[in-house]
Amino acid sequence: MSAKPVVDYSLYLVTGRELLPEGKDHLESLEESIKGGVTLVQIREKKADTGEFLRIAQDSKAICRKYNVPILINDRIDIALAVGADGVHIGQTDMPVDIARKLLPPNAIIGMTCNTVEHVRKAIQDGVDYVGLGPVWATQTKKVAHPVLGVRGIGELLSVLEGTDVKAVAIAGIKSTNALHCLHGSVSPGGRALDGLAVVSDIVASTDPLNAAKRVATIVQAFKSIPTPTFSLAPSSYTADAFRGGVGELLTAVKKHSPLVHQITNTVVTTQSANATLALGASPIMATAPEEMPDLSRAAGALLVNFGTIQNLDGMLAAGFNYNQNRKPVVFDPVGVGATQFRRSSAAALLNAWQPTVIKGNAAELGALANSTEVQAKGVDSVGAGFADPAAFVRNLARKERAIIVLTGVTDYVSDGRTVVRLSNGHPLLGKITGSGCMVGTAVATFCGGASMAAASTRSADAPEDAQLVRGDMLVAAVGGVLAITIASELAAARSDVKGSGTFLPAFIDELGALTPEKLAAYAKVEVI
């Protein structure tokens, strides 16, 4: 008995002749796609009769064999047997796996579409070789019978695969413009990542399938060639002193590069947020129109999305997507997310449309994102004592969301999913002015912009793909943003001219502008736990 073929699932092409552009032949497109980096092919023919399907499969197999690329047949086991394909892909309503296994050669590859945790568990039990997880996004190439899972939903399904040899690819709506987001975001909390991406229209419908395939293949191969990417450095590099020094370096970078910080924020705090940005040495811009996002994402250093007053969800969706495209930091501040169903559904839509670099919120807001009932909300505020183990909470949420998590409160916690930092600066007067929490988001975005621009200044224009959605140390940037606000609040409150909240705000902006690396290092109360 021959062994099963060794399959590289990195770029899995699913064909669809109905998508071919005018004048493009199926076999021509297939061969160009393989030359561009396709590593596995599935022939899907939903409308062809048996004779036509057989002919297409035979001709396609000849091309795949020429390049030593495995070929699978969608649904039709008779066609797979007739042409000697390497295996089949079956759906939830197709032939059961055990029967397919009996009919096919022992070395046949069998894959299955899975849309739920239960589907994945059953597929493992049935002994499939790989699963196609999705739909990640809505697609025009196939009628979707199950709800769109989004990138965040894929991680939950991958959790079930931990400890197994079953491979996994993401399916539906995947293209070069969202491939890195899909790979980065579709990782289980335990670190199980995708083995590849299944792509249809982005390659098949292209007039240049070779380069269409190459764009996706380059991203996938770069992602798989390095440890699971995060927005930070190795945990061993982080000590309290390293953070104190690092945030000072980033403050210097902010003042040197003066990043344009794009803020889609709530109308209540626009002025304070703009003043805080300027005080730190950056430049603010408040813009919400979706039509502006491609241009702004190329010019700005970072994006803050704060939906305290949700007025232009389309602008938020477009903004995050475009900043991901340009590998710029995105800070998400889900103000009052647990207060209404609209806010919860809006947050889910945003987090599946783009990958945040940092998610910042109070205990109630982050608890709502995590579907935790440990902390309750009253409007935009938290109620109660907070999390019993805030360090574990932020670590776990960072792993789940694949982002830096900033939990604000009397004591602040920041984590990348591996390292947890506890910050103990701040003054009660911060809670007596409107928008202090929103200004934390502004400061975090400003420091992220500084870190990103500093990294970009040392990267050559012809550097190879590195599968990094954002470059620069965003964990240090998040810590720096929090410390800037909290230390400035302490310095402002200590001034003799501050009599209460009315005199505190202008003094606070003054002290924010007067911060230096030396002040940050001297006053920062940082613990790595």
Side-chain angles (χ1 to χ4, degrees), residues 427-438:
H427 192 277
L429 279 173
L430 272 177
K432 302 298 183 182
I433 60 171
T434 299
S436 58
C438 297

Side-chain angles (χ1 to χ4, degrees), residues 226-285:
I226 57 177
T228 304
T230 64
F231 294 123
S232 55
L233 305 179
S236 59
S237 65
Y238 293 123
T239 63
D241 284 340
F243 278 109
R244 291 187 185 96
V247 297
E249 291 174 4
L250 288 186
L251 179 61
T252 299
V254 169
K255 295 182 182 299
K256 175 182 177 181
H257 296 287
S258 190
L260 181 65
V261 182
H262 179 188
Q263 300 172 61
I264 302 178
T265 191
N266 73 77
T267 55
V268 178
V269 301
T270 302
T271 300
Q272 291 99 309
S273 296
N275 286 337
T277 309
L278 290 167
L280 286 169
S283 298
I285 183 170

Side-chain angles (χ1 to χ4, degrees), residues 28-46:
E28 174 192 13
S29 176
L30 176 61
E31 186 163 13
E32 290 179 20
S33 302
I34 292 173
K35 288 180 178 179
V38 164
T39 59
L40 176 62
V41 172
Q42 177 194 139
I43 303 300
R44 186 170 68 188
E45 291 287 333
K46 290 297 186 182

Side-chain angles (χ1 to χ4, degrees), residues 105-470:
N107 62 343
I109 298 294
I110 297 181
M112 172 167 273
T113 302
C114 294
N115 319 107
T116 68
V117 167
E118 291 71 24
H119 288 171
V120 177
R121 290 195 179 112
K122 184 66 165 58
I124 295 170
Q125 180 183 334
D126 289 343
V128 303
D129 297 286
Y130 77 90
V131 289
L133 305 178
V136 183
W137 289 290
T139 174
Q140 300 300 315
T141 61
K142 183 178 179 182
K143 185 177 180 180
V144 176
H146 294 271
V148 170
L149 296 177
V151 171
R152 300 163 81 214
I154 300 300
E156 183 180 1
L157 303 191
L158 285 169
S159 294
V160 184
L161 294 177
E162 291 177 9
T164 76
D165 294 325
V166 178
K167 305 300 183 182
V169 297
I171 58 176
I174 296 166
K175 55 192 72 175
S176 62
T177 54
N178 59 26
L180 186 52
H181 172 205
C182 185
L183 290 165
H184 181 102
S186 298
V187 179
S188 75
R192 177 66 160 87
L194 290 165
D195 297 287
L197 301 176
V199 180
V200 189
S201 63
D202 195 49
I203 295 174
V204 178
S206 174
T207 57
D208 184 6
L210 186 150
N211 282 305
K214 186 177 290 185
R215 283 190 290 271
V216 182
T218 300
I219 293 169
V220 178
Q221 295 296 350
F223 183 88
K224 294 177 72 173
S225 70
I226 57 177
T228 304
T230 64
F231 294 123
S232 55
L233 305 179
S236 59
S237 65
Y238 293 123
T239 63
D241 284 340
F243 278 109
R244 291 187 185 96
V247 297
E249 291 174 4
L250 288 186
L251 179 61
T252 299
V254 169
K255 295 182 182 299
K256 175 182 177 181
H257 296 287
S258 190
L260 181 65
V261 182
H262 179 188
Q263 300 172 61
I264 302 178
T265 191
N266 73 77
T267 55
V268 178
V269 301
T270 302
T271 300
Q272 291 99 309
S273 296
N275 286 337
T277 309
L278 290 167
L280 286 169
S283 298
I285 183 170
M286 277 64 177
T288 61
E291 295 80 5
E292 293 187 282
M293 301 312 164
D295 291 335
L296 284 174
S297 62
R298 287 189 289 269
L303 169 70
L304 169 66
V305 175
N306 171 317
F307 69 14
T309 52
I310 306 175
Q311 294 181 313
N312 194 328
L313 189 60
D314 288 341
M316 295 178 181
L317 289 165
F321 176 81
N322 280 282
Y323 277 80
N324 276 180
Q325 292 301 296
N326 286 286
R327 312 291 177 94
K328 304 285 184 70
V330 179
V331 178
F332 182 42
D333 189 350
V335 175
V337 64
T340 66
Q341 179 56 41
F342 176 65
R343 287 175 183 268
R344 289 189 291 272
S345 63
S346 295
L350 294 172
L351 291 173
N352 282 318
W354 39 258
Q355 175 64 49
T357 312
V358 179
I359 302 176
K360 169 261 162 194
N362 62 30
E365 291 159 350
L366 296 185
L369 281 185
N371 295 315
S372 169
T373 58
E374 191 174 354
V375 179
Q376 300 302 310
K378 180 181 180 182
V380 300
D381 298 318
S382 298
V383 178
F387 297 105
D389 189 347
F393 173 81
V394 294
R395 181 184 287 113
N396 292 335
L397 186 59
R399 289 174 179 170
K400 177 184 176 184
E401 296 294 350
R402 306 282 295 124
I404 307 296
I405 299 297
V406 176
L407 171 62
T408 58
V410 175
T411 302
D412 304 302
Y413 293 84
V414 185
S415 180
D416 62 350
R418 299 175 300 185
T419 301
V420 178
V421 185
R422 181 163 57 203
L423 307 173
S424 302
N425 292 95
H427 192 277
L429 279 173
L430 272 177
K432 302 298 183 182
I433 60 171
T434 299
S436 58
C438 297
M439 282 189 281
V440 173
T442 291
V444 168
T446 300
F447 272 73
C448 286
S452 176
M453 292 187 72
S457 68
T458 61
R459 181 177 170 82
S460 63
D462 58 350
E465 171 63 57
D466 60 1
Q468 298 292 324
L469 265 174
V470 172

